[in-house]
Amino acid sequence: MSNYLWLVIAAGALGVLYGLIQTASLMKASTGNDKMREIAAAIQEGASAYLRRQYTTIAMVGVVILVAAYFLIGEWAAIGFVIGAVLSGLAGFAGMLISVRANVRTAQAASESLGKGLDLAFRSGAITGMFVAGGALLGVAGYYAILTAGMGFESTSREVIDGLVALGFGASLISIFARLGGGIFTKGADVGGDMVGKVEAGIPEDDPRNAATIADNVGDNVGDCAGMAADLFETYAVTTVATMVLAAIFFRDQPYVDTMMLLPLAICGICVVTSIIGSFFVRLGKSQNIMGALYQGLIVTGVLSVGAVWWIITTLVTGPVTTNTGLVIEPMSLFYSGLVGLAVTAAIVVITEYYTGSNFRPVRSVANASVSGHGTNVIQGLAVSLESTALPALTIIVGIVASYQLAGLFGIAIATTTMLGVAGMIVALDAFGPVTDNAGGIAEMAGLPSEVRHSTDALDAVGNTTKAVTKGYAIGSAGLGALVLFAAYTSDLDYFAANPDLYPFFAGMAEIDFGLTNPYVVVGLLFGGLLPFLFGGMSMMAVGRAAESVVAEVRRQFRENPGIMTYEVKPEYGRAVDILTKAAIKEMIVPSLLPVLSPIILFVAVLSISDKATAFAALGAMLMGVIVTGLFVAISMTSGGGAWDNAKKVIEEGFTDKNGVVHGKGSEAHKAAVTGDTVGDPYKDTSGPAVNPMIKITNIVALLLLAVLASGKVF
Amino acid sequence: MSNYLWLVIAAGALGVLYGLIQTASLMKASTGNDKMREIAAAIQEGASAYLRRQYTTIAMVGVVILVAAYFLIGEWAAIGFVIGAVLSGLAGFAGMLISVRANVRTAQAASESLGKGLDLAFRSGAITGMFVAGGALLGVAGYYAILTAGMGFESTSREVIDGLVALGFGASLISIFARLGGGIFTKGADVGGDMVGKVEAGIPEDDPRNAATIADNVGDNVGDCAGMAADLFETYAVTTVATMVLAAIFFRDQPYVDTMMLLPLAICGICVVTSIIGSFFVRLGKSQNIMGALYQGLIVTGVLSVGAVWWIITTLVTGPVTTNTGLVIEPMSLFYSGLVGLAVTAAIVVITEYYTGSNFRPVRSVANASVSGHGTNVIQGLAVSLESTALPALTIIVGIVASYQLAGLFGIAIATTTMLGVAGMIVALDAFGPVTDNAGGIAEMAGLPSEVRHSTDALDAVGNTTKAVTKGYAIGSAGLGALVLFAAYTSDLDYFAANPDLYPFFAGMAEIDFGLTNPYVVVGLLFGGLLPFLFGGMSMMAVGRAAESVVAEVRRQFRENPGIMTYEVKPEYGRAVDILTKAAIKEMIVPSLLPVLSPIILFVAVLSISDKATAFAALGAMLMGVIVTGLFVAISMTSGGGAWDNAKKVIEEGFTDKNGVVHGKGSEAHKAAVTGDTVGDPYKDTSGPAVNPMIKITNIVALLLLAVLASGKVF
């Protein structure tokens, strides 16, 4: 076993260790007064109860798939599936456990100063980030080490490849449930609570008289923290695995095949280190610019990563390598491909900040449109959401072209891997958002002075942007990595078709035509293309139903207990949490199964009217179709939602329209902005982000379908 | 010249003649009282003034392109461009001229009975429908006759093909401007007027005190009538031309090539006749079911078309034909392909009715969500809009597979042509909607009894569904025809590449790889995919800006003339019309140029970093990318908008929610539904429908780019 693989595992462990040490230090911070602790305890309890039930439900689906994986593919795939699923679940659980402890401490710290609030919130985000990156690296590298060094399988053997792909599938499956379930919970609470509270009863957000407030805060933790952590874990794991699979295919039988398979792991490992270093540079300067403080850390990570990636690539790859297709790749070309990945990350951060930040045209245009009413607010928000897809898509296009010109498909894979290498830092930027959102809620409910809420609001506004950044980053990596996953699919197919003795299902198959002139390719593109739309529709409806159940419950409590409005009676927070828990878990099942079953349905349907080669062509095109529309659907939803949320915040701080009139909290413009925010909620926190794991699942199910057909255990 | 070509021209003339005769009869109907005539005159004046200015502006762009076409391709392309542009413009103008005369007559007829109102409104729609179908057929078949029989060019010569393609381009270019300009005008007026009138001032829709009412009614005529007519003209012309081009390529040098090129024209010709017959069967039965009456006419047209298409195909194609790729096609296979086209039309009608009709789950779910507030209304509407794409997409997928299995790519082309053959009837169903909308406005402003408004509202609600049907139909035909346009592109390329002596630009070009494994194909798909999103964002913003200018103007009038609210002073309707005219014309330019310039930019950009074959591959993939996302964007917008509009109507008629509470006009639920309707307005009447001509333009520009490169006049 290569020493470098040990180092990678050590880097993964370092990420986890960083998380543990920081957690210990975080726990020492003050938790404020009794009232704050009481509220925080209710949130903790609700979040834990929800996640336990969610994971219990997922486990039932998981066991079915585990049994299927065992019998249809083999034991190593089954074990890989378990590792991916369990670690992804753990990443989510850890994210939740941290954030429900950091929220109250952040509220307390923010009551001392904005800088202290930022420091604490960001630190908690960094813990989650390093748990995610470190844990994913540990899982992939560890299982790879077990399979190769431990069990003695060839690195390019089916056992290793199927095992790693199944690990990715486990992670993806958990993450789509977690994203969706958490997303439905959090936005059901948020939307429902706002509808009754802000709009009907005219009480502020997070007012303790609103029975949905605790549920809303629970939602931030189970959706924006746990769901997000599971999602990024999945993205990280799947991308690394896909690059390793591509390396195994491209460099099979070359002396440096093991090195090339190690390369993505090594890049990720070194970037865990640069992310940890960068996290120490997030500090609020004299200008009190929160985004500036975060940028500082991100830039340090980015600059260090340039050097680190250069070092690790030139160390591992000492001379030109040649792919099995005859392409000669220089080490420096691989390094430049890595740079492309970092540049794409930087561009997505900047573009997302432009579209969702409070100081730029898009958000201000939505705020301005709110002055004319609810309708124009929503129209402008939708317009911004549609427009916001163009620049990220162009960035991804340039990224694909540049890295392909440098080092072919493997160049694209390295760019994508390096992009995800810094995921620890990106998650850190994201996870601090919901913590500050929660801190604001606790401050409001505990009746802390309004300056505290002002500080947490300022942090939360930046959090809206960074949350959108992470989602754009995750889906962007899916776009950049589209060709990698597709190449894994086509290369697997080529390999099986070339060895019909070993894989009889593929014997005598006609050549597969992936050309756009093949109508079945167009059929696949359209079928794949409809999935993100249908999925988006289903998940939005789920949020609507969950929110309506909350609205009914809060209205009932107001009606049956008039004392709630006069602060004499405490609302039954637990009932709202219970209702949502049931709703979210029920609603997450069907949409999550859509991407699991669709590839199988398409394949069988086309096979039944045509031949194997045509069915594989349609299935491959479907993988591309789901990315072509999914990329735009996801970016438009996440950026648009962020813009709506911050437009509302801009008005709450007092927005001066072009006629010089100031609109603040409670104004008609504010009401319109609340409507937009409500619409943006499921857009940005349920449907949009869940598209990313959805894309991955369709791709991985296709790869596993090949593995099943190749195993010869069916058909 | 074939006798059948004469018959086709005669059929086109018959459509136009039908329109003229029916117009004469329509003009005899009563125009009601003086007040109604006065209002109608104001609408007529505004609509004519707007369209004149719009077409003047478009003419300036047109002249530039005309000169370019003349010098870059040749005189026959230039003449074709002029014919397409002028006829498309005329179709739009005629649609407007009819509808501004039918509106007041429909209001009068509806005051007598619902049946008479329907009869008059539908007849006016049928006039527009037959003008569109007859005119387009006359243009395409007539120019084809002039070029072949008149000028003596071979039917498969570049002069004929380039001339016909340029005719399609002329039609497309006008129609995108007309759709967008008209769409921005109508929705600027509608949204702006509703924001101030219904929401702020609390006065009903179309209240004469609202300065934007006349503009709103003008908008229905210039957007929903003129814009729609130009759009369908374009769809009809481009599809017919594309099928003819494909026939020229597939059957070049075969003895029956002329027959096969005639076939799409003949199918369209015979369907003009069946559409005219069907139009006489639209009559309100005892059940007073409006949709039922329309279905009656549509079903008659459909059933007659089955026979007629069978007759024309078996008459013209007397034995099996063989394509240049070696595929043998039986006449009956072509007939079955035609049936597929009719079946796709029927399915899209039914699916669209389900998603936008007042009696089905989607619209009722939006109405129900309105009870919880603005936010949930919009969320549910967006969810419906996303979901509504799935079944139409599946229909198109099945249509592609079925017709391809029957008769290859040419089968898909025949299916698409037959689908569009019945366009006269479909347009008739659509154009009656805005007429009744206008009639309702006139009834309200003229103070007619509320039963009249009740009748026109019932007609209008069905009109919302049929409007959505037309848009789904147009975009559906684009989806089904995607492969036809793509095949025209690839076949042209093949032909040029095979004759490098004649076309030196294509000499020595590598083979073009349209496979999904080619990264530049993915780049093309993504670049094409972003266009509908960016275009949608730009056009939504344009409506927002136009609406804001109307809001400001109406507010100003209310403020400066308090007498308006007390009916003492008449608002200055003309000012609102003027402001919108300027805004719409200014705003339509940039988005319309996006699809014209994008193919050229992509081609030049990829060529500059790679080779010709790669640039052509990326360009081809872009054509597919723009359809893959455009199909979903357009359907989601048009169905979603229809659902929102009818949800509002459902509440206005008194909606009983699941708790048994009734919500009517003026209720909180109604206000929320108005917000949804406002959002849906630009969705369904500006951005969504304009995606269809946008897709066509990118495709045709690509074809013309090939023609320019082949002409050797540049490069």
Side-chain angles (χ1 to χ4, degrees):
Chain A
M1 183 169 151
S2 151
N3 285 333
Y4 286 101
L5 186 51
W6 279 117
L7 281 177
V8 169
I9 292 174
L14 179 70
V16 175
L17 190 70
Y18 167 94
L20 293 174
I21 293 172
Q22 288 280 13
T23 305
S25 126
L26 180 88
M27 293 301 288
K28 289 190 199 124
S30 161
T31 52
N33 61 34
D34 281 347
K35 182 135 196 204
M36 289 162 71
R37 271 189 291 274
E38 183 197 332
I39 298 161
I43 298 173
Q44 276 174 36
E45 192 192 326
S48 297
Y50 173 73
L51 272 200
R52 269 198 306 273
R53 282 190 53 175
Q54 177 181 279
Y55 282 128
T56 311
T57 310
I58 302 177
M60 288 187 269
V61 179
V63 166
V64 175
I65 293 182
L66 173 65
V67 172
Y70 179 79
F71 284 106
L72 297 178
I73 310 178
E75 65 268 40
W76 300 108
I79 295 172
F81 175 77
V82 171
I83 294 175
V86 168
L87 284 181
S88 172
L90 276 181
F93 223 99
M96 181 276 292
L97 286 176
I98 300 303
S99 63
V100 293
R101 280 158 182 82
N103 54 9
V104 60
R105 291 169 172 85
T106 300
Q108 174 60 23
S111 73
E112 294 165 32
S113 82
L114 179 65
K116 285 189 183 165
L118 170 65
D119 180 59
L120 219 145
F122 177 76
R123 246 199 302 159
S124 75
I127 295 171
T128 304
M130 298 316 152
F131 273 152
V132 166
L137 195 56
L138 215 48
V140 176
Y143 193 45
Y144 177 63
I146 290 171
L147 289 171
T148 52
M151 305 306 304
F153 292 116
E154 282 286 319
S155 60
T156 59
S157 66
R158 288 316 305 176
E159 284 81 3
V160 173
I161 290 178
D162 291 348
L164 291 177
V165 170
L167 189 155
F169 181 57
S172 293
L173 189 76
I174 299 310
S175 87
I176 196 168
F177 280 113
R179 259 295 188 200
L180 255 191
I184 293 168
F185 187 106
T186 180
K187 292 304 127 175
D190 197 350
V191 171
D194 281 2
M195 307 286 315
V196 193
K198 284 201 213 174
V199 180
E200 282 183 24
I203 56 178
E205 195 165 342
D206 300 320
D207 190 288
R209 288 170 292 178
N210 191 329
T213 19
I214 292 288
D216 186 9
N217 285 303
V218 167
D220 291 339
N221 295 295
V222 301
D224 300 351
C225 277
M228 181 277 296
D231 180 7
L232 266 286
F233 182 96
E234 174 270 344
T235 306
Y236 196 95
V238 169
T239 308
T240 324
V241 164
T243 308
M244 291 174 77
V245 171
L246 209 62
I249 295 159
F250 275 5
F251 303 102
R252 188 188 297 273
D253 306 327
Q254 305 277 20
Y256 37 74
V257 59
D258 286 1
T259 308
M260 298 311 281
M261 285 182 76
L262 179 64
L263 192 59
L265 296 174
I267 291 174
C268 285
I270 201 102
C271 287
V272 166
V273 180
T274 60
S275 297
I276 290 176
I277 298 173
S279 74
F280 291 110
F281 284 80
V282 173
R283 234 175 266 124
L284 200 63
K286 276 187 192 142
S287 64
Q288 300 278 305
N289 181 340
I290 303 165
M291 198 72 198
L294 298 176
Y295 267 135
Q296 214 163 278
L298 187 62
I299 290 169
V300 169
T301 298
V303 171
L304 289 180
S305 298
V306 171
V309 170
W310 174 81
W311 175 75
I312 194 77
I313 288 179
T314 50
T315 304
L316 286 175
V317 190
T318 47
V321 291
T322 310
T323 68
N324 288 336
T325 54
L327 181 71
V328 179
I329 304 172
E330 296 289 335
M332 282 310 281
S333 300
L334 292 175
F335 166 62
Y336 292 133
S337 298
L339 282 195
V340 169
L342 292 174
V344 167
T345 304
I348 284 182
V349 171
V350 172
I351 294 165
T352 311
E353 196 202 343
Y354 173 71
Y355 275 104
T356 62
S358 304
N359 300 316
F360 302 98
R361 174 188 62 85
V363 168
R364 303 203 78 84
S365 76
V366 176
N368 205 50
S370 313
V371 176
S372 321
H374 298 259
T376 37
N377 164 290
V378 177
I379 290 174
Q380 186 63 23
L382 283 173
V384 165
S385 91
L386 292 167
E387 190 199 284
S388 69
T389 60
L391 287 178
L394 286 176
T395 302
I396 290 161
I397 287 172
V398 171
I400 290 175
V401 169
S403 52
Y404 181 74
Q405 294 278 11
L406 284 163
L409 275 177
F410 196 66
I412 301 179
I414 290 297
T416 316
T417 305
T418 313
M419 184 175 175
L420 277 174
V422 295
M425 187 67 194
I426 299 283
V427 170
L429 296 183
D430 177 321
F432 106 99
V435 169
T436 58
D437 195 352
N438 250 254
I442 292 172
E444 185 88 33
M445 291 182 75
L448 295 190
S450 66
E451 300 89 76
V452 182
R453 176 77 200 212
H454 192 77
S455 288
T456 59
D457 269 357
L459 290 167
D460 192 19
V462 173
N464 278 332
T465 296
T466 57
K467 270 164 64 182
V469 163
T470 315
K471 292 160 193 162
Y473 167 82
I475 189 76
S477 75
L480 191 59
L483 273 155
V484 179
L485 286 163
F486 188 71
Y489 173 79
T490 53
S491 306
D492 259 11
L493 265 176
D494 285 348
Y495 178 73
F496 293 138
N499 297 285
D501 319 340
L502 293 169
Y503 310 109
F505 182 85
F506 300 85
M509 194 171 68
E511 202 174 333
I512 299 171
D513 172 15
F514 286 112
L516 293 176
T517 44
N518 179 356
Y520 288 95
V521 166
V522 177
V523 162
L525 284 173
L526 290 175
F527 188 76
L530 83 78
L531 292 181
F533 281 86
L534 180 57
F535 180 80
M538 289 163 86
S539 51
M540 295 276 286
M541 283 187 195
V543 172
R545 280 189 295 263
E548 275 180 40
S549 66
V550 170
V551 167
E553 170 62 19
V554 178
R555 278 186 185 159
R556 183 194 66 77
Q557 294 201 18
F558 276 140
R559 194 175 54 238
E560 296 179 4
N561 287 312
I564 292 177
M565 272 309 267
T566 55
Y567 296 98
E568 286 158 47
V569 184
K570 236 170 91 175
E572 301 166 72
Y573 299 120
R575 292 265 330 234
V577 173
D578 274 355
I579 286 172
L580 267 169
T581 300
K582 280 185 203 121
I585 286 174
K586 190 180 116 202
E587 298 281 0
M588 77 181 177
I589 307 281
V590 177
S592 298
L593 291 179
L594 185 69
V596 178
L597 300 178
S598 295
I600 301 168
I601 291 169
L602 180 73
F603 179 77
V604 173
V606 176
L607 191 62
S608 71
I609 55 165
S610 190
D611 56 18
K612 289 176 186 172
T614 306
F616 285 124
L619 179 58
M622 177 192 150
L623 305 183
M624 208 52 95
V626 74
I627 285 183
V628 169
T629 67
L631 180 73
F632 296 99
V633 169
I635 294 178
S636 71
M637 287 179 165
T638 53
S639 288
W644 263 315
D645 198 339
N646 276 343
K648 184 197 68 175
K649 286 208 161 24
V650 162
I651 290 180
E652 286 175 350
E653 284 159 18
F655 173 72
T656 312
D657 69 18
K658 53 188 175 187
N659 300 322
V661 184
V662 179
H663 306 266
K665 267 194 182 178
S667 64
E668 286 302 312
H670 184 235
K671 283 184 191 156
V674 169
T675 293
D677 177 38
T678 307
V679 175
D681 272 339
Y683 242 44
K684 74 181 192 329
D685 291 323
T686 312
S687 307
V691 168
N692 173 41
M694 200 206 82
I695 292 174
K696 303 290 174 39
I697 288 185
T698 52
N699 276 275
I700 295 195
V701 168
L703 286 177
L704 289 178
L705 182 64
L706 293 187
V708 169
L709 296 172
S711 74
K713 296 186 183 174
V714 281
F715 300 103
Chain B
M1 183 168 150
S2 153
N3 286 334
Y4 286 100
L5 186 51
W6 278 117
L7 281 178
V8 169
I9 293 175
L14 179 69
V16 175
L17 190 69
Y18 167 93
L20 293 173
I21 294 172
Q22 289 281 13
T23 305
S25 126
L26 180 87
M27 291 302 286
K28 289 191 197 120
S30 162
T31 53
N33 61 34
D34 281 346
K35 184 136 194 203
M36 289 163 71
R37 273 188 290 275
E38 185 197 332
I39 297 162
I43 297 172
Q44 276 173 38
E45 193 192 325
S48 299
Y50 172 73
L51 272 200
R52 270 197 306 275
R53 283 191 53 177
Q54 177 180 276
Y55 282 129
T56 312
T57 310
I58 301 176
M60 288 189 270
V61 180
V63 166
V64 175
I65 292 181
L66 173 63
V67 171
Y70 179 79
F71 284 107
L72 296 179
I73 310 178
E75 63 269 38
W76 300 109
I79 294 172
F81 175 77
V82 172
I83 294 175
V86 169
L87 285 181
S88 171
L90 275 180
F93 222 97
M96 181 278 291
L97 286 176
I98 301 302
S99 64
V100 294
R101 279 159 183 82
N103 53 9
V104 62
R105 292 170 172 83
T106 300
Q108 175 60 25
S111 73
E112 295 165 32
S113 81
L114 179 64
K116 286 189 183 167
L118 170 65
D119 180 59
L120 220 146
F122 177 77
R123 245 198 303 157
S124 76
I127 295 172
T128 305
M130 300 313 155
F131 272 154
V132 165
L137 195 55
L138 216 47
V140 176
Y143 194 45
Y144 178 63
I146 291 171
L147 289 171
T148 52
M151 305 306 305
F153 291 117
E154 284 284 321
S155 59
T156 58
S157 66
R158 288 315 304 176
E159 284 81 3
V160 173
I161 289 178
D162 290 348
L164 290 177
V165 170
L167 189 154
F169 181 56
S172 294
L173 189 76
I174 299 310
S175 87
I176 195 168
F177 279 113
R179 257 298 187 197
L180 255 191
I184 293 168
F185 187 105
T186 181
K187 293 305 128 176
D190 199 349
V191 172
D194 280 1
M195 307 286 316
V196 193
K198 284 200 215 174
V199 181
E200 282 183 24
I203 56 179
E205 194 165 346
D206 300 319
D207 190 288
R209 290 170 290 179
N210 191 331
T213 19
I214 294 287
D216 186 8
N217 286 303
V218 167
D220 291 339
N221 295 294
V222 303
D224 300 350
C225 277
M228 181 274 298
D231 179 6
L232 267 286
F233 181 97
E234 174 269 346
T235 305
Y236 196 95
V238 169
T239 307
T240 324
V241 163
T243 307
M244 291 175 77
V245 170
L246 208 62
I249 294 160
F250 275 5
F251 303 102
R252 187 188 299 273
D253 307 326
Q254 306 278 20
Y256 36 76
V257 60
D258 285 2
T259 307
M260 299 311 282
M261 285 183 75
L262 180 64
L263 192 60
L265 296 173
I267 291 173
C268 285
I270 201 101
C271 288
V272 166
V273 180
T274 59
S275 297
I276 290 176
I277 298 173
S279 74
F280 290 109
F281 284 81
V282 173
R283 235 177 265 122
L284 201 61
K286 277 188 192 143
S287 63
Q288 300 279 305
N289 181 341
I290 304 167
M291 199 71 199
L294 298 176
Y295 266 136
Q296 214 162 276
L298 187 63
I299 289 169
V300 170
T301 298
V303 171
L304 290 179
S305 298
V306 171
V309 170
W310 173 82
W311 175 75
I312 195 76
I313 287 179
T314 51
T315 306
L316 285 176
V317 189
T318 48
V321 291
T322 311
T323 68
N324 288 335
T325 54
L327 182 71
V328 179
I329 304 173
E330 296 290 334
M332 282 310 280
S333 299
L334 291 175
F335 166 61
Y336 292 132
S337 298
L339 283 196
V340 169
L342 291 175
V344 168
T345 304
I348 284 182
V349 171
V350 173
I351 294 166
T352 312
E353 197 202 343
Y354 173 70
Y355 274 105
T356 62
S358 305
N359 300 320
F360 303 98
R361 174 189 60 88
V363 167
R364 303 203 77 85
S365 76
V366 176
N368 204 51
S370 311
V371 176
S372 322
H374 299 259
T376 37
N377 165 289
V378 177
I379 289 173
Q380 185 64 22
L382 283 174
V384 166
S385 92
L386 291 167
E387 189 199 285
S388 69
T389 60
L391 288 178
L394 286 176
T395 303
I396 290 162
I397 286 172
V398 172
I400 290 175
V401 170
S403 51
Y404 182 76
Q405 294 277 12
L406 284 163
L409 275 177
F410 195 66
I412 301 179
I414 290 297
T416 317
T417 306
T418 312
M419 183 176 174
L420 277 174
V422 295
M425 188 66 193
I426 299 283
V427 170
L429 297 183
D430 178 321
F432 105 97
V435 169
T436 58
D437 195 353
N438 250 255
I442 291 172
E444 184 88 32
M445 291 182 75
L448 295 189
S450 66
E451 302 88 76
V452 183
R453 177 74 200 212
H454 192 76
S455 289
T456 60
D457 268 357
L459 291 167
D460 192 17
V462 173
N464 279 331
T465 295
T466 57
K467 271 164 65 181
V469 164
T470 315
K471 292 160 194 163
Y473 167 81
I475 189 76
S477 76
L480 192 57
L483 272 155
V484 180
L485 287 162
F486 188 72
Y489 172 81
T490 52
S491 308
D492 259 11
L493 264 176
D494 285 349
Y495 179 72
F496 293 139
N499 296 285
D501 319 342
L502 293 167
Y503 310 110
F505 181 86
F506 299 85
M509 194 172 68
E511 202 175 334
I512 300 172
D513 171 16
F514 286 113
L516 292 176
T517 43
N518 179 356
Y520 287 95
V521 166
V522 177
V523 162
L525 284 173
L526 290 175
F527 188 76
L530 83 79
L531 292 181
F533 281 85
L534 181 58
F535 180 81
M538 289 164 86
S539 51
M540 296 275 286
M541 283 188 196
V543 172
R545 279 189 295 264
E548 275 180 39
S549 68
V550 171
V551 167
E553 171 62 20
V554 178
R555 278 186 186 160
R556 185 195 64 77
Q557 293 200 21
F558 275 140
R559 194 174 55 238
E560 294 179 7
N561 286 312
I564 292 177
M565 273 308 266
T566 54
Y567 296 97
E568 288 158 46
V569 184
K570 234 170 91 174
E572 301 165 73
Y573 300 120
R575 290 268 328 238
V577 174
D578 275 355
I579 285 172
L580 265 170
T581 301
K582 283 188 200 117
I585 287 174
K586 192 181 114 203
E587 297 281 0
M588 77 180 176
I589 307 282
V590 176
S592 299
L593 291 179
L594 185 69
V596 177
L597 300 178
S598 294
I600 302 169
I601 290 170
L602 179 72
F603 179 76
V604 173
V606 176
L607 190 62
S608 72
I609 55 165
S610 190
D611 55 18
K612 288 175 186 172
T614 306
F616 284 125
L619 180 56
M622 176 191 150
L623 305 183
M624 207 53 93
V626 74
I627 286 184
V628 170
T629 66
L631 180 73
F632 296 99
V633 169
I635 294 178
S636 71
M637 286 180 164
T638 54
S639 289
W644 263 314
D645 199 337
N646 276 344
K648 184 197 68 176
K649 286 205 162 24
V650 163
I651 289 181
E652 287 176 350
E653 286 159 16
F655 173 73
T656 312
D657 69 18
K658 52 187 173 184
N659 299 324
V661 183
V662 179
H663 305 266
K665 266 195 184 178
S667 65
E668 285 303 311
H670 184 234
K671 282 184 192 158
V674 169
T675 293
D677 177 39
T678 308
V679 175
D681 273 340
Y683 240 47
K684 76 183 192 324
D685 290 323
T686 313
S687 307
V691 168
N692 173 41
M694 200 206 82
I695 291 174
K696 304 291 174 40
I697 289 185
T698 52
N699 276 275
I700 296 195
V701 167
L703 286 176
L704 289 177
L705 183 64
L706 293 186
V708 169
L709 296 172
S711 75
K713 294 185 182 175
V714 282
F715 301 102

